[in-house]
């Protein structure tokens, strides 16, 4: 009942086959004489009035017939999903329009970088349309497991093209070193474009994650596996691209804190921390809580190391360091709070305990170092030793600081202190 109605459609698709009888005859000609099939040479499928679908030859015929329609359906579904991706990244404007935009920007005192930043990032509604397109195609094919898996693979290819285009745009934007420069006097407008592109991929990842486990009717296991793999690849891409910004900020802040005995360098560290918070963490949609928590803890610990080897430690230096400690603590807390993280670990406690240590006498410091009570447990023994040596060297007006006695630079000594474990501190 079903096959005769498909004859008009089959005529244009199967190359010269104009009827179901011709189609059956062509398949039978392939099967007849095949030793592996076991079919006799005088078998004519077209002349069998009651062919059962359990017959081997009919199963092959039906599978090949369905494969034609499946391929056609998947191609059209892939075309619709590719179109939704293409709308997110329209072609660049012609040269004449670019000149007109530059002229308009000059008249209205608008930087050309700001116009480029607007045109670089896809519209969020268009990104949402990609997720809707994928969801619609999967919903239409959900009733057939094989077809649903093929549509899921086509969706993965469309999303891969989205990610590839996004990566190309990120590379073109970050060719300018000023875009990812935490120490720049003013933030570059294209920095927000980098964040916007990462957020678009994050929105796509969230949409695919929702499609992996729909609330009404779950997908088939193969299709769900394909989408989960795609979601994990999107997460890997997001982490890699956001790490570029976080690594740039981490290097700038760490280098400034290593030379914090100079007041101008502390201003560089403070500026880089502000850039990290306002330009990266606040507009960033992906939650990088663990990475940000590790970064802020390392800054607090590194600053305590730096304070303990500050030499000479005169009263003015003590007052300056005592004011910079809460400033760093507040800046790290603000940066971590944007990711929903509270700074309450040992690094935070060591900063709190370091402030009263600055104004203790040498005798009181020696007593703290000897007793090592619970109230001073967050400050490492090696940091206390460094602080005592620098304090005594300042009071005795001697130049015997640890790194000079060992014949290394201040940066090398700080690297040794930061890299040593608590068990190794006595040997160091």
């Amino acid at each position: 009942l079903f096959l005769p109605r498909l004859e008009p459609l089959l005529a244009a698709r199967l190359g010269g086959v104009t009827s179901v009888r011709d189609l059956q005859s062509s398949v039978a000609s392939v099967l007849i004489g095949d030793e592996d099939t076991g079919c006799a040479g005088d078998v004519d499928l077209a002349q069998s009035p009651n062919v059962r679908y359990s017959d081997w030859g009919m199963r092959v015929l039906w599978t090949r017939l369905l494969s034609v329609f499946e391929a056609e359906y998947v191609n059209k579904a892939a075309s619709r999903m590719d179109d939704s991706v293409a709308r997110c990244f329209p072609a660049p404007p012609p040269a004449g329009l670019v000149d007109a935009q530059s002229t308009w920007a000059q008249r209205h005192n608008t930087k050309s970088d700001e116009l480029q930043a607007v045109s670089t990032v896809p519209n969020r509604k268009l990104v949402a349309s990609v997720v809707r397109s994928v969801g619609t195609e999967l919903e239409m094919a959900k009733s057939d497991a094989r077809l649903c898996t093929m549509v899921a693979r086509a969706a993965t290819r469309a999303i891969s093209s989205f990610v590839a285009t996004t990566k190309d745009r990120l590379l073109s934007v970050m060719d300018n070193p000023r875009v990812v420069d935490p120490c720049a006097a003013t933030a570059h407008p294209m920095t927000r474009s980098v964040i916007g592109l990462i957020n678009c991929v994050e929105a796509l990842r969230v949409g695919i994650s929702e499609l992996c486990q729909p609330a009404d009717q779950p997908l088939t296991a193969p299709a769900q596996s394909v989408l989960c793999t795609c979601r994990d690849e999107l997460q890997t891409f997001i982490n890699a691209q956001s790490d570029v910004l976080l690594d740039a900020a981490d290097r700038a802040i760490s280098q400034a804190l290593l030379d914090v005995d100079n007041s101008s360098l502390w201003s560089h560290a403070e500026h880089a921390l502000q850039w990290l918070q306002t330009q990266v963490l606040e507009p960033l949609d992906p939650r990088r809580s663990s990475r940000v928590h590790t970064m802020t803890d390392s800054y607090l610990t590194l600053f305590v190391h730096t304070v303990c080897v500050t030499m000479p430690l005169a009263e003015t230096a003590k007052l300056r360091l005592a004011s910079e400690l809460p400033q760093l603590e507040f800046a790290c807390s603000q940066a971590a709070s944007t990711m929903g993280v509270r700074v309450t670990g040992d690094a935070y406690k060591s900063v709190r305990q370091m402030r009263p240590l600055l104004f203790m006498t040498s005798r009181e410091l020696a007593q703290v170092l000897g007793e090592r009570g619970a109230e001073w447990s967050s400050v490492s023994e090696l940091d206390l030793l460094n602080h005592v040596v620098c304090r005594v060297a300042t009071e005795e007006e001697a130049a015997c600081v640890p790194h000079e006695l060992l014949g290394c630079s201040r940066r090398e000594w700080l690297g040794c202190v930061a890299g040593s474990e608590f068990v190794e501190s006595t040997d160091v």
Side-chain angles (χ1 to χ4, degrees), residues 311 386 389-390 392-394 396-405:
M311 173 71 185
N386 281 325
V389 171
C390 291
V392 173
T394 302
E396 300 295 334
E397 297 182 355
C400 54
V401 290
H403 62 273
E404 291 182 357
L405 292 174

Side-chain angles (χ1 to χ4, degrees), residues 161-313:
S161 66
F162 184 98
V163 173
T165 306
T166 302
K167 185 176 181 180
D168 292 340
R169 292 201 172 191
L170 285 171
L171 292 176
S172 63
V173 168
M174 287 191 287
D175 279 343
N176 186 354
R178 293 179 55 245
V179 173
V180 189
D181 185 8
C183 298
T186 57
H188 199 278
M190 295 300 292
T191 305
R192 289 299 182 98
S193 297
V194 176
I195 299 296
L197 290 170
I198 296 174
N199 289 342
C200 287
V201 182
E202 171 65 11
L204 196 59
R205 186 199 67 81
V206 172
I208 296 300
S209 299
E210 294 175 354
L211 293 177
C212 288
Q213 297 178 347
D216 51 356
Q217 183 180 356
L219 296 174
T220 60
Q224 190 173 2
S225 176
V226 172
L227 290 181
C228 289
T229 302
C230 178
R231 177 199 60 193
D232 296 341
E233 292 176 354
L234 290 175
Q235 185 65 62
T236 302
F237 176 82
I238 291 168
N239 292 342
Q241 298 303 322
S242 57
D243 280 342
V244 175
L245 299 171
L246 296 177
D247 290 342
D250 192 31
R251 286 192 299 269
I253 297 169
S254 300
Q255 291 177 4
L257 290 177
L258 284 173
D259 296 319
V260 79
D261 54 343
N262 189 338
S263 59
S264 63
L265 291 171
W266 162 248
S267 65
H268 292 165
E270 188 177 19
H271 182 74
L273 272 168
Q274 186 179 8
W275 181 88
L276 173 65
Q277 177 186 346
T278 59
Q279 298 297 318
V280 178
L281 298 181
E282 288 182 356
L284 189 65
D285 288 344
R287 299 291 90 186
R288 302 300 308 277
S289 303
S290 59
R291 173 70 193 275
V292 173
H293 187 266
T294 302
M295 290 170 61
T296 53
D297 276 0
S298 67
Y299 302 151
L300 295 174
T301 303
L302 180 60
F303 191 69
V304 170
H305 294 333
T306 306
V307 170
C308 291
V309 297
T310 300
M311 173 71 185
L313 196 60

Side-chain angles (χ1 to χ4, degrees), residues 9 47 152 177 190 203 260 279 284 292 303 350-351 407 409-410 415 422:
L9 299 177
Q47 297 177 359
M190 295 300 292
V260 79
Q279 298 297 318
L284 189 65
V292 173
F303 191 69
S350 65
V351 171
S409 65
R410 183 171 179 271
F422 179 75

